[in-house]
Amino acid sequence: MNRIRVAVNGYGVIGKRVADALRLQEDMTLAGVADIVDDYRLQVAARAGLPVHAATPQAEAPMRAAGIAVAGGLSELLAQSDVVVDCTPKKVAAINKGVYEAAGVKAIFHGGESHALTGHSFVAQANYASALGRSSTRVVSCNTTSIVRTLGALRTAGLLKRARGTLIRRASDPWEAHADGIVNTVVPEKVIPSHQGPDARTVIPDLDVVTIAVKAAHNSSHLHTWWVELTRPATRDEVLAAFRAAPRIAFVRSSDGIVALNSTVELMSDLGRPRGDMWEVALWEDVLAVDGDQAYCTYQVFNQAIVIPETIDAIRALTGIETDPARSIAKTDASLGLRRDFLR
């Protein structure tokens, strides 16, 4: 099998996880990683034997001074690659797009960039086929990914009429908690709808959804609460069945002691997940309620990892090495060890 050669530009929260996931795929090879820093993150990558490249000429000397064996520059890495996954900070990727086009490599961007950058936004279960053969796509943000997964599941089952959700967002990523965050308060976002609802419509254009978001004083993950108007009166079992039929949604229960965001974070560590990652949407089965044509649910989004499976699928879609979305999703989920239920 000819493996797809993939470069990762940006070795931070998302980039290092993409790199690890790539190395688990039988149809892909990690060509190398690129960055501009020389701190512990890149030093760990070098110790792990990853080919490390300097993303800019100015970054090379400090990297070498830090003891990192630099394999070359970004241009050399792109010359060895079929696809690049851009995991650089927000707004940087837009500058990089022209570099990738000039190098003739396909490119995947993430939710910090706008839909206009690529003209295509990606969630595997919703629109994999429309990404086949494209030169680029954008994997949407963690919260938007969760919205498309869950509401998309109800839509596929013919149950979704419209949805209204509140997002309780983490204040910062854990590794940035020393520099950014809020303490002892909750900060409402200034615009309704928050950007996640309109962003979800870049994937499912006819989705009737409104989101409201607040930032809270924690950094473990995000919590969503949803009111959904169904297309008809339904039973709780029907709604649960719709969620169970969809990929990348896993059930948790407060009756098992999973009562808060920190409970699931601890569970992932106990399950031996790398970095404690949760790639699934964790939906509370025993909290879900259905009353006629109204459904109410609560779920958790682990922002550092949820988009990793989508990114792997996006590589297959752009390159066309797998044209069937279900097969790609199955391959990715099996390689990472995703589950439909964490304790059953």
Side-chain angles (χ1 to χ4, degrees), residues 164-209:
R164 305 293 183 258
T166 299
L167 286 63
I168 303 168
R169 303 182 59 195
R170 57 96 181 102
S172 67
D173 282 325
W175 79 279
E176 293 180 311
H178 67 287
D180 185 25
I182 56 177
V183 178
N184 198 34
T185 190
V186 174
V187 181
E189 293 199 359
K190 298 177 181 179
V191 177
I192 298 175
S194 62
H195 75 271
Q196 293 86 3
D199 197 29
R201 283 197 289 271
T202 66
V203 181
I204 305 177
D206 62 350
L207 198 64
D208 189 342
V209 58

Side-chain angles (χ1 to χ4, degrees), residues 53-71:
H53 292 69
T56 65
Q58 297 79 11
E60 183 173 351
M63 281 182 167
R64 293 191 185 279
I68 298 171
V70 179

Side-chain angles (χ1 to χ4, degrees), residues 50-269:
L50 304 188
V52 176
H53 292 69
T56 65
Q58 297 79 11
E60 183 173 351
M63 281 182 167
R64 293 191 185 279
I68 298 171
V70 179
L74 181 60
S75 59
E76 286 92 348
L77 177 56
L78 295 177
Q80 302 165 23
S81 306
D82 304 301
V83 181
V84 58
V85 180
D86 191 296
C87 303
T88 59
K90 186 176 182 180
K91 305 304 180 186
V92 174
I95 300 171
N96 291 338
K97 186 171 185 284
V99 175
Y100 304 148
E101 290 172 344
V105 298
K106 295 176 181 287
I108 294 167
F109 302 93
H110 285 93
E113 307 308 314
S114 70
H115 174 75
L117 181 65
T118 63
H120 188 273
S121 296
F122 183 90
V123 176
Q125 76 185 65
N127 66 342
Y128 184 102
S130 66
L132 289 171
R134 290 184 59 89
S135 61
S136 65
T137 190
R138 163 184 170 262
V139 172
V140 295
S141 72
C142 54
N143 284 314
T144 305
T145 296
S146 75
I147 292 168
V148 174
R149 285 186 191 173
T150 53
L151 298 188
L154 297 176
R155 184 174 180 267
T156 298
L159 291 172
L160 179 67
K161 183 175 181 181
R162 58 179 174 155
R164 305 293 183 258
T166 299
L167 286 63
I168 303 168
R169 303 182 59 195
R170 57 96 181 102
S172 67
D173 282 325
W175 79 279
E176 293 180 311
H178 67 287
D180 185 25
I182 56 177
V183 178
N184 198 34
T185 190
V186 174
V187 181
E189 293 199 359
K190 298 177 181 179
V191 177
I192 298 175
S194 62
H195 75 271
Q196 293 86 3
D199 197 29
R201 283 197 289 271
T202 66
V203 181
I204 305 177
D206 62 350
L207 198 64
D208 189 342
V209 58
V210 176
T211 50
I212 301 173
V214 300
K215 290 182 181 179
H218 68 279
N219 64 12
S220 56
S221 55
H222 306 302
L223 183 74
H224 288 218
T225 61
W226 286 89
W227 163 78
V228 178
E229 184 177 0
L230 306 174
T231 54
R232 58 175 175 79
T235 66
R236 184 172 180 273
D237 285 343
E238 285 180 286
V239 174
L240 285 171
F243 287 132
R244 286 196 178 96
R248 299 173 180 168
I249 299 172
F251 287 104
V252 293
R253 283 159 292 275
S254 57
S255 60
D256 290 326
I258 310 300
V259 296
L261 300 183
N262 60 296
S263 306
T264 304
V265 171
E266 185 75 7
L267 175 62
M268 294 304 106
S269 295

Side-chain angles (χ1 to χ4, degrees), residues 309-324:
E310 310 299 329
T311 302
I312 299 301
D313 290 330
I315 294 168
R316 291 199 182 96
L318 292 189
T319 59
I321 58 172
E322 177 55 74
T323 58
D324 185 288

